[in-house]
Amino acid sequence: MNRTVLVTVHTGREAAVDSARLVIGRLVDAGLTVRVLDLEAPELGCPGAEVVPGDADAAKGAEVMIVLGGDGSLLRSAELARPTRTPLLGVNLGHVGFLAEAEVADLAAAVDSVVAGRYDVEERMTIDILARQNGQIIADTWALNEATVEKRDRMLEVVAEIDGRPLSRWGCDGVICATPTGSTAYAFSAGGPVVWPEVEALLMVPISAHALFARPLVVSPRSTLAIEILPDTPGGVLWCDGRRRFDLPSGTRVEVRRGSAPVRLARLHGVESTGAPFTDRLVAKFELPVQGWRGRVRP
């Protein structure tokens, strides 16, 4: 059976390009078909790879998509992988890299695990976002991490709603609606809770709200979150995963629900720094102090 892997890379980083060439060469030598995107191919210069357009069919039929870069690169690649349900395998060449499965030091071992089929696939919840003004749809999109309604210039005046019932009015810099995956991204910076990825929930986190009640909220994955920009206040901006931007005029209503399709992530077997429990990832990524821990007393 012909096995195909799509490789994408942050071509603005020389180290990422060098790593991509290593990955492609190793996969080709193992007899796998390797695809690269047409916009990235000139930088890679890999004659053994098949060049494909960076459209909705790029990942079609691919067994896995290897992404070399940071979390931003993986979010960009998720736009290609989600429609075809292709698992993403991130190799962290950025800073924190919460979405990545492997570090650059594990690159060869990670590729060998893919070649041998030693990986599992987990599904990460997404959110669907719909924005309307005067009944007209002005944005219909999705996100893996978060959707953020933000001020454009001056402070926003919004009303937050949960399941069709008003919750509170906030004067604020914005409101974040996030998934558990996104709880360690923008929502974390805004003071939201860390939610383990296997927990199914939606988060709402106000940004710099001028209100007595402006706490982060964790609600059911079956809930619908809504943010209404009041008609007599300045408009705002909708950002989805920090990548897709939509202008929101005054009076816009933004609704957020559980996504219709998840994003799938590949989890490797037998690579030392991968496949770790989420607690260990938190400790490693944030360099949390755990000295003195003895663990459970065993009989």
Side-chain angles (χ1 to χ4, degrees), residues 12 18-19 40-41 75 100 119 122 130 156 161 224 257-258 267:
D18 291 341
S19 296
E40 300 172 359
L75 289 171
Y119 63 88
E122 70 176 41
L130 195 65
L156 285 176
E161 173 192 299
T224 298
R257 297 177 174 83
R258 180 178 188 150
R267 294 304 186 200

Side-chain angles (χ1 to χ4, degrees), residues 9-22 43-44 93:
V9 59
H10 189 317
T11 54
R13 295 178 179 172
E14 185 176 350
V17 172
D18 291 341
S19 296
R21 289 171 180 157
L22 185 152
E43 295 287 338
L44 294 174
L93 299 172

